[in-house]
Amino acid sequence: MSLSIGIVGLPNVGKSTLFTALTKKGGLAANYPFATIDPNVGVVDVPDERLQRLAEMANPAKVVPATVEFVDIAGLVKGANAGEGLGNQFLANIRNCDAICEVVRYFKDPDVVHVDGRVDPASDADTIITELILADLGSLERSIPKLEKEAKRDKDNLPRLQIARRLQSWLDEGNRAATLDMTDDERAAAHDLFLLTMKPILYVANCDEDQLGDRPQIDGTPAIPICAKVEAELSELEPEEASEYLESLGLERSGLETLAQAAYRLLGLQSFFTAGPKEVRAWTVRIGAKAPEAAGVIHSDFERGFIKAETIGYDDYVSLGGEQGAKEAGRLRMEGKDYVVQDGDVMVFRFNV
């Protein structure tokens, strides 16, 4: 699965510094607005201790983790929905992402100019969400006349028009589209409207080193405290040195590891594994997916010709010494088309070509 998360925020909140550390890619981080114009894209491994444990047992030729794609989108400013600060281009980049990671500035640095001349996290977050809401209202204003014509021609199109009108009223009151109480059918119809505020949002508080122990809240939602400067330093260290540095800060894991895992959960995803001498690999599948869908993640032929899935729970696989031990203990299960994949399942698929 190709998953994309857009990193957004006002100019000079540390987005590009965070992105560079996150992806270990060179990127322009500058003390002026719109240093980033074209979005930078980087693929980040999702840290998973289970994958390493499986690799120790199977001793494979290679280990392949699950990944998430992060897109560094240039800073938004007030009026972006109307094109201010190249806003239309930046909003289009957000539209192509599956979710939004909003970086809010908590750090204090007189050498890094805040676009509004002050550090005010709540105001920054409000500016971003307001611009996204206004962009969605503009999108609906253009879409509704077309939907009205389509509904007159074919009543099957009426649900899309009705939910579009409900969302327009909801957004006009200053609410995100995702917070509107909708039925499953309404939510499916709303999905086709491609609204920015329907996307799930993850908040990152870019803070100073001495603020890492804080648990800030943004718009009533817990934010992940990350010091982009610390993460940039960690990205340049060898694993053992990085571990020692984290320990000196009183941290168990880097903020970027926490962010990658949180992004994975935000999108309602989980991992299942395949394990053998050639490869141990984490595969990404949505929570609630059934076995054929998981098979299709590996190859579409696996889903079309699906017969059974040999399945071992992760804990059983590890505690019983792998596939053979699980089989001898009766913990290897043959699951059919209706089996709902569980996080951590170790699977082998049987299929017809």
Side-chain angles (χ1 to χ4, degrees):
M1 297 177 70
S2 178
L3 308 165
S4 179
I5 296 184
I7 302 178
V8 304
L10 296 181
N12 299 342
V13 297
K15 292 185 300 78
S16 293
T17 301
L18 180 68
F19 174 85
T20 301
L22 184 70
T23 60
K24 299 185 180 179
K25 288 179 60 172
L28 179 59
N31 182 21
Y32 54 88
F34 316 122
T36 306
I37 296 178
D38 295 323
N40 297 311
V41 179
V43 177
V44 178
D45 293 346
V46 178
D48 195 327
E49 294 176 355
R50 298 172 302 179
L51 185 68
Q52 300 308 316
R53 183 71 183 94
L54 292 173
E56 291 169 6
M57 296 177 67
N59 193 26
K62 64 178 179 177
V63 179
V64 184
T67 59
V68 175
E69 180 182 88
F70 283 90
V71 182
D72 179 22
I73 296 170
L76 294 173
V77 295
K78 291 178 182 177
N81 71 93
E84 290 293 328
L86 304 178
N88 290 332
Q89 179 181 342
F90 303 156
L91 289 168
N93 292 331
I94 298 171
R95 206 175 298 280
N96 294 328
C97 295
D98 298 301
I100 296 170
C101 171
E102 182 177 338
V103 181
V104 177
R105 177 173 173 175
Y106 275 71
F107 71 89
K108 297 176 177 62
D109 187 338
D111 295 328
V112 179
V113 180
H114 189 286
V115 70
D116 288 335
R118 73 200 189 292
V119 176
D120 187 341
S123 176
D124 291 357
D126 186 60
T127 296
I128 295 294
I129 200 62
T130 297
E131 291 305 316
L132 298 183
I133 288 171
L134 290 172
D136 281 348
L137 282 168
S139 179
L140 286 172
E141 189 175 327
R142 294 186 294 273
S143 298
I144 286 176
K146 297 176 185 176
L147 293 172
E148 287 173 340
K149 292 178 182 178
E150 292 173 0
K152 285 180 181 178
R153 288 196 300 266
D154 186 346
K155 289 186 178 180
D156 287 343
N157 293 318
L158 189 58
R160 284 183 64 200
L161 173 60
Q162 291 171 332
I163 193 60
R165 286 173 171 165
R166 282 191 65 204
L167 284 165
Q168 186 179 43
S169 298
W170 185 249
L171 288 162
D172 208 32
E173 294 173 2
N175 303 302
R176 289 175 52 223
T179 62
L180 178 63
D181 187 20
M182 291 180 273
T183 66
D184 290 343
D185 288 343
E186 285 176 327
R187 196 164 288 277
H191 181 267
D192 293 337
L193 297 170
F194 303 106
L195 300 178
L196 299 173
T197 61
M198 278 294 292
K199 298 179 185 295
I201 295 181
L202 182 70
Y203 290 103
V204 167
N206 188 11
C207 57
D208 290 315
E209 186 177 320
D210 60 4
Q211 297 173 307
L212 283 172
D214 297 344
R215 290 294 178 266
Q217 292 226 343
I218 299 172
D219 194 26
T221 302
I224 299 172
I226 291 180
C227 177
K229 287 184 178 180
V230 168
E231 301 300 330
E233 292 171 5
L234 283 169
S235 70
E236 297 176 356
L237 298 176
E238 295 298 322
E240 188 173 331
E241 294 175 319
S243 180
E244 291 175 358
Y245 184 29
L246 283 172
E247 188 176 344
S248 73
L249 296 173
L251 302 174
E252 293 184 3
R253 60 176 62 87
S254 74
L256 299 182
E257 287 179 323
T258 302
L259 175 57
Q261 290 171 336
Y264 205 59
R265 292 193 300 271
L266 177 72
L267 292 168
L269 303 173
Q270 62 184 355
S271 292
F272 70 91
F273 302 103
T274 53
K278 291 184 179 180
E279 177 184 272
V280 167
R281 183 164 183 159
W283 300 88
T284 300
V285 70
R286 65 182 181 84
I287 295 171
K290 293 184 178 179
E293 183 179 334
V297 171
I298 299 176
H299 198 287
S300 57
D301 287 346
F302 288 19
E303 183 171 10
R304 282 193 294 267
F306 178 87
I307 301 173
K308 293 286 182 182
E310 295 182 5
T311 306
I312 306 168
Y314 171 79
D315 290 339
D316 286 337
Y317 191 97
V318 171
S319 64
L320 297 170
E323 181 179 340
Q324 188 58 38
K327 187 181 295 184
E328 291 171 357
R331 303 299 292 176
L332 186 153
R333 312 184 309 274
M334 298 297 291
E335 301 288 3
K337 292 182 177 181
D338 291 331
Y339 175 68
V340 177
V341 177
Q342 301 300 303
D343 186 44
D345 279 348
V346 182
M347 309 182 81
V348 175
F349 297 103
R350 302 300 179 193
F351 63 100
N352 286 319
V353 177

